[in-house]
Amino acid sequence: MSLSPAEIRAIHDLPVPELLYRAATAHRQHWNAEEIQFCTLDSIKTGACPEDCAYCPQSARYQTDLKVEPLKDVNKVLAGALEAKANGSTRYCMGAAWREVKDDANFDAVLEMVHGVSNMGMEVCVTLGMLNEDQAKRLKAAGCQVYNHNIDSSRDFYETIIHTRKFDERLETIAAVRAAGLEVCSGGIVGMGETVDQRIHFLQELTELSPAPESIPINQFVAVDGTPLANVDPLPPLELVRMIATARILFPKSRIRLSAGRTQMSDELQALCFFAGANSIFTGEKLLTTPNPGGNHDHWLLNALGMRVEGAPAQTGA
């Protein structure tokens, strides 16, 4: 569904009760509103990235407290996947701080990781930077189902925070992923100092992707000392809710992932995001390099809300 920015803005700016009603209605037409998918995101190679993304502590251009780590051992990654599965995660995502995939021993190791996690019966997603169709096909053959490549923001705002890669290059990678037969996970970050209109144009860019991404992460920006955006004012909570609800209305069949920034959110705000249509979270102590609520708290929160982890058996009364 492709809408004009003005049409999307009209949805986004609805009175909150009406916006949430429409989002919750769209959600229930395609999903079980009582279930949240648990995913785990593992940083399999951390830091020393040559890109200059202004929000990212993994850039080699910025002085942060991030510890640079080489590509993880395959067995360590597989052990992490087993632990994540035991905690309720049905999707395991592996991210490497690369600008692009290279056909070398590191990529061969990633393919081995993908194969091992796939054999555990988990959905496998990777995010490795830019890649071509042949590389995407190799990932699919190894058992990968989903490739994450966020567009980050609107085209014009993107150009103010990233100068080492063009917006259209992100779209080219998404096209290569589609051509290889992989599902697409693509979303962005809100709260980096962009205007509401730029958020609307970010959503409008996603509507131009055909078919729509199967999953859409909405990340709340996490400021990190040492990066150019370290002093950006926090995003007002209801602005995040509006983005989640608008995304749910625009993409009723997609997973809307409440992603980074959850440690900054109250339990009540997360509950409101679930009501607005978010139906997937990343669980675990870290989300790549930034803090994340631990799995114990996530289980507690769903239990408190009378909800459950997707794939878990339904609770029955005594």
Side-chain angles (χ1 to χ4, degrees):
M1 174 175 62
S2 180
L3 298 177
S4 70
E7 290 171 316
I8 297 173
R9 182 71 191 251
I11 295 170
H12 176 278
D13 290 353
L14 285 168
V16 167
E18 178 65 18
L19 177 64
L20 293 182
Y21 172 75
R22 293 191 190 184
T25 300
H27 185 51
R28 282 157 176 75
Q29 289 174 347
H30 300 281
W31 303 93
N32 185 333
E34 296 178 2
E35 294 183 340
I36 299 292
Q37 184 195 42
F38 273 17
C39 309
T40 296
L41 179 55
D42 185 359
S43 182
I44 59 174
K45 182 267 177 181
T46 304
C49 180
E51 303 269 37
D52 71 348
C53 307
Y55 54 79
C56 186
Q58 299 210 65
S59 172
R61 299 164 186 255
Y62 311 134
Q63 297 298 315
T64 69
D65 292 333
L66 182 73
K67 181 182 177 183
V68 175
E69 297 178 358
L71 189 68
K72 280 186 178 180
D73 176 76
V74 172
N75 289 330
K76 186 175 181 180
V77 172
L78 297 185
L82 278 174
E83 182 179 349
K85 183 176 182 180
N87 192 51
S89 288
T90 56
R91 176 178 289 195
Y92 201 69
C93 307
M94 293 169 276
W98 293 333
R99 169 177 163 77
E100 59 196 349
V101 173
K102 297 179 180 178
D103 295 310
D104 57 16
N106 283 333
F107 187 42
D108 290 339
V110 171
L111 294 173
E112 189 177 349
M113 296 172 193
V114 167
H115 182 71
V117 176
S118 177
N119 282 346
M120 296 176 192
M122 301 181 79
E123 295 180 11
V124 182
C125 175
V126 295
T127 178
L128 311 170
M130 295 185 291
L131 83 171
N132 58 42
E133 184 179 340
D134 179 67
Q135 292 164 335
K137 286 180 177 177
R138 291 177 67 190
L139 284 168
K140 181 177 173 63
C144 184
Q145 294 155 285
V146 188
Y147 197 84
N148 166 261
H149 201 66
N150 292 334
I151 63 171
D152 283 350
S153 189
S154 67
R155 182 181 292 268
D156 63 334
F157 188 74
Y158 179 97
E159 293 175 355
T160 70
I161 60 171
I162 301 172
H163 308 94
T164 50
R165 192 191 312 187
K166 297 295 185 183
F167 189 86
D168 284 334
E169 289 181 288
R170 291 195 179 261
L171 300 182
E172 289 168 6
T173 291
I174 292 171
V177 167
R178 276 286 179 221
L182 289 169
E183 292 184 5
V184 170
C185 175
S186 187
I189 309 168
V190 295
M192 295 187 289
E194 75 284 346
T195 65
V196 173
D197 276 340
Q198 286 169 328
R199 288 180 211 147
I200 297 304
H201 278 87
F202 152 63
L203 291 174
Q204 201 272 335
E205 288 281 357
L206 289 177
T207 69
E208 295 289 338
L209 299 178
S210 182
E214 283 79 5
S215 86
I216 299 173
I218 303 294
N219 296 275
Q220 179 171 283
F221 174 61
V222 178
V224 178
D225 288 343
T227 63
L229 299 183
N231 297 316
V232 171
D233 291 334
L235 183 74
L238 285 178
E239 293 190 24
L240 174 67
V241 174
R242 284 189 178 277
M243 284 295 290
I244 294 288
T246 305
R248 171 50 69 208
I249 293 168
L250 296 177
F251 306 100
K253 296 181 181 180
S254 300
R255 294 263 186 201
I256 305 298
R257 301 190 183 280
L258 187 62
S259 300
R262 287 199 301 120
T263 55
Q264 302 169 359
M265 304 175 197
S266 67
D267 293 336
E268 293 80 7
L269 175 57
Q270 292 185 68
L272 198 54
C273 289
F274 296 154
F275 181 74
N279 63 339
S280 179
I281 60 173
F282 287 104
T283 190
E285 300 297 331
K286 274 192 173 184
L287 189 60
L288 284 183
T289 61
T290 55
N292 199 50
N296 288 341
H297 185 81
D298 290 331
H299 281 285
W300 174 88
L301 178 59
L302 291 194
N303 185 64
L305 295 173
M307 301 173 70
R308 63 178 178 269
V309 180
E310 184 178 284
Q315 298 295 318
T316 57

